[in-house]
């Protein structure tokens, strides 16, 4: 970090909130510290797509205008968490002290999350609807006290198992609260979130944009590039196997087979979508506490060439979970805030570039997803809902004022995929998207995966705090 850097003049742009679920985890801490560092001119915006020229005139909220808060079930203060990450080499030496004021300010805005594992009936004395109301009240209070133009809720908590009994898991309670508070929502994790049939009606009527799920930052990012390569070269993939070694809270969380299954579903979908069918093989996830926030992902691809010649491609990806995830979290928060400001609502399939299991219809290969993202940037830039581009997903931005559901309103029971004019949350196989279901929004504005979301400092004490708890901070980037 350079000595005595010059800080830019504070922005006069409207301020937007970023409400993080898992706000004291490694990904959240890295995003908050990184936003302050880039906004203050201490570091370049490496890894932030929204800071490239393609997005320069889209009207995105400046990094200096973002205000952070969130929910978490752990109580390790953000400045201390940042010190742990710096000690583990995740954050640059000296950065925690350089952005101490910003970390303290964000930490003051973190509220208790829940329910914790083992709580029944939504927690002691609370129903699901009471939890949703309490979380939504926290978010509204944050927006009001900080005098924000709006807020985006981003789930970056540890991966949870998929519910087996139809109940709403914590990630779905937070998602419902975001919509009830009238806020845009992003699920950067493989946890259920809005992908629950009981939330379909709420998502369809909330009048806000949402995106997800499961951030694509490492192994699956590479798969979304290599899969189309094999298909385009007419090479027959016979088997595709992988192994992930990671530590931290996410490694501990993904030691649970049910949580690992939720994580691997997105990885399998990418291969099935790009190759036409899922090949033999599976991904194994191993918890290696000594690795902390660092991850190693290995793939073994067996394929056939001309005249049946058998060949193999092996890849190794070594990365820092939270450093991979944090810039994407900032990108998504800015894009979702701008989308809501433009009056867009419903699933933002155009953001599929960022996810393993994106909502809505869209391409699966990374190149096509990036082209779609750039078209979306054009819509944000000129405010039009339909550019006529091939592959346009029919987003509307007609300036209406539909608002989020409020109070103790039921969260709905209609199951299924989104249909035209219905905009409910998509399941793993995304439903149809039509122009009619992209109604105008109101003006209010991450499972973290095994590979990219566990606590990342490698300290044993941190793992206890950032372990596989519902709503607890994730620990790193996503693969």
């Amino acid at each position: 970090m350079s000595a005595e850097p010059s800080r830019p003049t504070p922005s006069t742009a409207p301020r937007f909130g970023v409400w993080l679920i898992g706000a004291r985890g490694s990904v959240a801490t890295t995003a908050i510290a990184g936003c302050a560092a880039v906004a203050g001119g201490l570091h370049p915006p490496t890894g932030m797509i929204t800071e490239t020229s393609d997005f320069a005139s889209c009207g995105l909220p400046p990094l200096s205008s973002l205000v952070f808060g969130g929910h978490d079930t752990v109580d390790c203060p953000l400045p201390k968490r940042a010190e742990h990450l710096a000690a583990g080499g995740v954050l640059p030496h000296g950065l925690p002290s350089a952005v101490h004021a910003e970390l303290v300010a964000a930490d003051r805005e973190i509220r208790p999350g829940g329910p914790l594992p083992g709580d029944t009936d939504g927690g002691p004395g609370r129903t699901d609807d009471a939890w949703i109301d309490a979380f939504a009240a926290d978010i509204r209070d944050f927006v009001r006290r900080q005098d924000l133009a709006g807020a985006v809720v981003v789930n970056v908590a540890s991966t949870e198992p998929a519910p087996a009994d139809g109940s709403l898991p914590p990630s779905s309670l937070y998602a419902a609260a975001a919509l009830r508070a009238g806020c845009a929502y992003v699920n950067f994790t493989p946890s259920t979130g809005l992908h629950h049939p009981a939330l379909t009606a709420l998502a369809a009527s909330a009048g806000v944009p949402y995106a997800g799920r499961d951030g694509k930052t490492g192994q699956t990012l590479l798969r979304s590039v290599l899969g189309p390569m094999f298909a385009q070269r007419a090479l027959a993939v016979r088997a595709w196997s992988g192994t992930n070694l990671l530590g931290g809270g996410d490694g501990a969380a993904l030691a649970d087979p049910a949580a690992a299954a939720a994580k691997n579903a997105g990885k399998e979908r990418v291969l099935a979508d790009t190759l036409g069918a899922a090949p033999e093989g599976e991904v194994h996830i191993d918890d290696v506490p000594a690795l902390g926030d660092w991850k190693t992902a290995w793939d073994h691809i067996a394929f056939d060439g001309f005249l049946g010649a058998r060949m193999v491609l092996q890849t190794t990806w070594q990365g820092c979970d939270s450093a991979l995830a944090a810039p994407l979290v900032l990108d998504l928060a800015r894009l979702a805030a701008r989308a809501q400001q433009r009056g867009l609502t419903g699933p933002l399939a155009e953001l599929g570039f960022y996810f393993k299991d994106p909502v809505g219809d869209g391409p699966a290969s990374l190149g096509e997803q990036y082209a779609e993202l750039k078209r979306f940037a054009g819509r944000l830039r000129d405010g039009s809902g339909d550019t006529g581009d091939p592959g346009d997903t029919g987003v509307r931005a007609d300036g209406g004022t539909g608002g989020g559901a409020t109070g103790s309103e039921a969260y709905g029971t209609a199951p299924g995929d989104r249909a035209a004019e219905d905009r409910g949350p998509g399941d793993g196989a995304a439903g149809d998207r039509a122009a009619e279901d992209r109604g105008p929004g109101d003006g209010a504005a991450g499972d973290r995966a095994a590979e990219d979301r566990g606590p990342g400092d490698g300290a044993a004490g941190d793992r206890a705090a950032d372990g596989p708890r519902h709503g607890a901070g994730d620990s790193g980037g996503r693969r």
Side-chain angles (χ1 to χ4, degrees):
M1 189 162 53
S2 60
E4 301 295 332
S6 59
R7 299 233 178 186
T9 303
S11 172
T12 58
R15 301 193 310 157
F16 285 87
V18 181
W19 190 263
L20 299 165
I21 309 304
R24 290 191 172 111
S26 294
V27 168
T29 305
T30 304
I32 295 167
C35 183
V38 174
L42 304 178
H43 283 272
T46 305
M48 289 194 64
I49 301 160
T50 54
E51 286 293 299
T52 63
S53 59
D54 287 328
F55 298 84
S57 57
C58 291
L60 301 179
L63 292 174
S64 59
S65 74
L66 301 182
V67 181
F68 294 91
H71 284 114
D72 210 321
T73 59
V74 302
D75 56 10
C76 178
L78 283 175
K80 179 61 67 176
R81 185 76 180 118
E83 291 174 6
H84 292 165
L85 292 174
V90 177
L91 295 180
H93 177 72
L95 184 61
S97 60
V99 299
H100 180 80
E102 289 89 341
L103 292 169
V104 169
D107 197 67
R108 283 198 297 262
E109 296 295 344
I110 297 175
R111 300 294 178 262
L116 293 172
D119 289 344
T120 58
D121 297 325
R126 275 190 176 177
T127 63
D128 284 348
D129 203 59
W131 278 110
I132 294 169
D133 264 346
F135 293 153
D138 288 339
I139 299 168
R140 291 194 201 99
D141 181 60
F142 169 65
V143 172
R144 182 180 62 255
R145 285 184 299 96
Q146 293 286 348
D147 191 25
L148 303 175
V152 178
V153 176
V154 186
N155 181 16
V156 289
S158 295
T159 305
E160 66 187 14
D165 57 1
S167 62
L168 289 179
S171 66
S172 294
L173 300 178
Y174 291 120
L179 270 58
R180 189 171 289 184
C183 294
Y185 173 76
V186 176
N187 186 4
F188 201 71
T189 82
S191 299
T192 303
L194 284 180
H195 282 60
H196 195 292
L199 300 184
T200 302
L202 175 61
S205 63
V208 299
Y210 55 87
R213 66 182 168 169
D214 198 3
K216 180 169 60 186
T217 63
Q219 184 180 46
T220 309
L221 177 68
L222 191 58
R223 287 179 169 209
S224 67
V225 174
L226 292 177
M229 178 195 75
F230 284 107
Q232 291 161 5
R233 288 293 300 271
L235 297 172
V237 175
R238 294 186 292 109
W240 198 317
S241 301
T243 294
N244 283 268
L245 308 177
L246 71 159
D250 226 31
L254 291 166
D256 178 349
K263 178 67 179 176
N264 286 335
K267 294 177 177 293
E268 294 168 359
R269 177 183 173 180
V270 168
L271 293 182
D273 287 350
T274 57
L275 297 175
E280 294 181 6
E282 57 186 27
V283 175
H284 295 276
I285 299 173
D286 295 327
D287 178 23
V288 184
L291 293 180
D293 199 49
W294 302 84
K295 168 189 62 182
T296 296
W298 171 74
D299 272 287
H300 184 282
I301 308 158
F303 65 99
D304 289 343
F306 189 54
L307 304 179
R310 295 201 160 187
M311 293 172 272
V312 168
L313 171 65
Q314 297 184 52
T315 66
T316 302
W317 177 287
Q318 294 179 307
C320 175
D321 280 352
S322 56
L324 290 167
L328 305 188
V329 169
L330 296 175
D331 276 351
L332 287 163
R334 300 173 80 193
L335 290 165
R338 179 59 172 165
Q340 185 160 17
Q341 189 181 39
R342 279 296 194 185
L344 309 185
T345 69
L348 298 177
E350 302 87 348
L351 302 186
F353 176 80
Y354 290 96
F355 299 105
K356 296 181 181 72
D357 188 17
V359 297
D361 284 339
S365 73
L366 196 68
E368 293 177 276
Q369 289 176 335
Y370 186 66
E372 185 71 11
L373 181 63
K374 289 199 294 184
R375 283 193 287 270
F376 183 62
R379 289 194 285 273
L380 295 181
R381 183 178 300 113
D382 60 26
S384 67
D386 186 355
T387 63
D389 289 332
D392 192 321
T393 53
V395 179
R396 288 180 55 201
D398 54 13
T401 57
T406 60
S408 58
E409 172 180 339
Y411 37 78
T413 57
D417 291 338
R418 298 173 26 258
E421 308 193 26
D422 177 319
R423 265 337 198 216
D427 57 18
D432 293 330
R433 303 183 62 238
E436 290 77 19
D437 57 21
R438 276 283 210 219
D442 63 12
D447 118 333
R448 307 211 25 271
E451 310 94 18
D452 38 311
R453 280 205 186 294
D457 59 66
D462 259 339
R463 291 188 63 255
D466 289 347
R469 300 215 235 159
H470 294 303
D474 67 50
S475 54
R478 307 166 59 69
R479 18 174 201 169

